[in-house]
Every structure is written in structure tokens, then in C-alpha cells.
DNA sequence: TAATAATACCTAGTCTCTCTATGTATAATA
DNA sequence: TATTATACATAGAGAGACTAGGTATTATTA
């Protein structure tokens, strides 16, 4: 919550790839979904999300497509590319490694 | 390892407070201890560690004291301040919250 | 109906943090 | 004697999160 900013760097890309991996999503939806699924913990700012999405797209991990709603509203849906999927798999295992290492320090069993 | 840089931001302060909380330590020792305890995962660069220690000291969370070894070598031992201890407690619980939220996204149980 | 809130996208500039590269100095080892 | 390990330090580059601002449409509410 308050202190989240610090732990955020580096987790952002994983979170976005993960969500978009479930199903194609648009930016605003991602913000809401992240908040819902994390039970209110993640509250991405637009100034964080949109640049992050653009970075992922430039890197070829996701691809965005504009869609016009019946109402006339425009949304940019992002879906995972093949490369994005393989990076997602990689990032999941990196998260596990990081988690393991952190717990060795943060929750000490002994000396 | 390779990708650690990303996940690192924000965990550094917690790791340092944690280690120094176990016992007063000096910089070089912290690098070695972090690597040992994390079974090789954490390999802090000096350019990361020393500025981080200085930040923590400026913030009043740790305090450094020069000590001269019998050999003549100088080491700067850091110990936790009271404020540092309370922040450490806080950071431990923040880590738990972050971990919980991440796992809700990264390891989905359902929709 | 008018005002407000929610939806939906965007970015320039600031701030903070990690890392590279570099410097200094001593002790231990080959 | 030369090299490696120990021990500290910082300037500058690069990356990413956030603030603060902008545009536009739709839905709600007073």
C-alpha cells in the first residue's frame, strides 16, 4: 500500500504479462483487475501502467489493438506474443528464485 | 541473478536492515553474508551497497562506527538504531503483504 | 438539464535507486 | 614481487515509478 512503490520496480512487467496472459486486456481494465485480484493491494497509477505497457510492446512481448465499442468508446486491447509467453514463464521462475532468496534472509531459520 | 536488478529495488533496505539487525556488520561483510545466506543469489555491487548504507544512516535507521583492527585495517561497523528496528519490523510485514499480493496474481488459484 | 464521476487513453518531468567504472589503501598469498 | 582479497568511497548513466497535467466519451445524479 503505502510503501509499495519500493517493492514494485521489477514486479510490474511480470504482473502485466501474467494478467494479459490470462486473456487480452486493455489498460484501464488491467488496473481494475490487478486491484481486484490482489484484494486491493495493487493500485497502479496511469503514469506507471501506460508507459509500462508501451515498453512491453516495444520489446515485442505484447501487442495492442484498438477496438471500438458499440458505444463508440475506444479501447486498446493487449495480447501476449509468443515471445511474451516465453518471457512470462521465465519471469515466473525468476520470481520463485527471488522469493526463495528473500525468505532465506528475511525469515531466518538460523545463522 | 541475471534479472535480479529489477526485483532488487525496494528489497535492498529490508535486506540490509535485516542483516544488521542480527548483529552489527561492516559493508564488505554484508556483501559476503548476503551471498552466503542466500546461497549465492544476492551479489551486491559495492556501488549499490555503500550508497544504500549511507542512505539508511542519513535516515537514522542505522549508525556506523569506525573500528581499527589489530592489523591496522579500518572497518565501519553499522548497527541498528531504535528507529531502524521499528522500520525493520514494519518492512517485514510489508514484505509479507507484497508476497501475498504477488502470489494472488502470479500463482492464480482461479479467475 | 447541468454537473459530476467514471471510463479510457496519453506523456513530460521529477525522483530514486542500481550499476559501471574508477579511485584509494592495506593485508595476504603465490 | 606481483597479484588477489579485503575495505571503503563516489560520479555518472540508465531505468522505472510517480506527479501532474492533458484529451475525450459515457453514465449518473442532483
Amino acid at each position: 500500500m503505502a510503501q509499495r512503490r519500493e517493492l514494485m520496480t521489477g514486479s510490474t512487467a511480470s504482473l502485466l504479462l501474467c494478467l494479459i496472459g490470462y486473456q487480452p486486456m486493455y489498460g484501464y481494465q488491467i488496473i481494475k483487475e490487478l486491484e481486484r485480484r490482489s484484494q486491493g493491494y495493487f493500485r497502479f497509477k496511469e503514469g506507471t501502467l501506460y508507459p509500462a505497457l508501451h515498453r512491453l510492446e516495444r520489446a515485442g512481448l505484447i501487442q495492442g489493438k484498438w477496438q471500438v465499442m458499440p458505444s463508440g468508446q475506444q479501447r486498446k486491447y493487449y495480447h501476449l506474443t509468443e515471445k511474451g509467453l516465453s518471457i512470462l514463464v521465465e519471469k515466473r521462475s525468476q520470481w520463485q528464485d527471488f522469493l526463495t532468496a528473500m525468505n532465506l534472509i528475511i525469515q531466518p531459520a538460523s545463522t
Side-chain angles (χ1 to χ4, degrees), chain A residues 42-108:
Chain A
F42 289 118
R43 298 180 186 216
F44 273 62
K45 311 298 177 191
E46 298 185 324
T48 300
L49 180 79
Y50 291 112
L53 287 174
H54 299 162
R55 278 196 300 276
L56 291 176
E57 188 168 31
R58 272 201 307 279
L61 308 189
I62 60 176
Q63 199 180 346
K65 281 175 187 164
W66 283 101
Q67 292 201 4
V68 183
M69 297 297 100
S71 66
Q73 265 285 23
Q74 298 230 324
R75 293 171 177 170
K76 201 175 190 176
Y77 278 87
Y78 289 96
H79 63 90
L80 269 195
T81 63
E82 259 184 54
K83 188 176 173 189
L85 180 58
S86 76
I87 297 291
L88 171 55
V89 171
E90 203 180 299
K91 284 197 176 286
R92 271 194 224 268
S93 96
Q94 280 169 7
W95 165 249
Q96 284 304 319
D97 293 344
F98 176 69
L99 194 161
T100 301
M102 278 294 284
N103 284 342
L104 282 172
I105 310 292
I106 300 284
Q107 308 172 332

Side-chain angles (χ1 to χ4, degrees), chain A residues 29-44:
Chain A
Q29 182 185 16
I30 289 172
I31 291 177
K32 298 303 174 190
E33 270 297 295
L34 273 177
E35 183 165 358
R36 190 181 70 75
R37 289 181 190 241
S38 69
Q39 295 167 9
Y41 185 84
F42 289 118
R43 298 180 186 216
F44 273 62

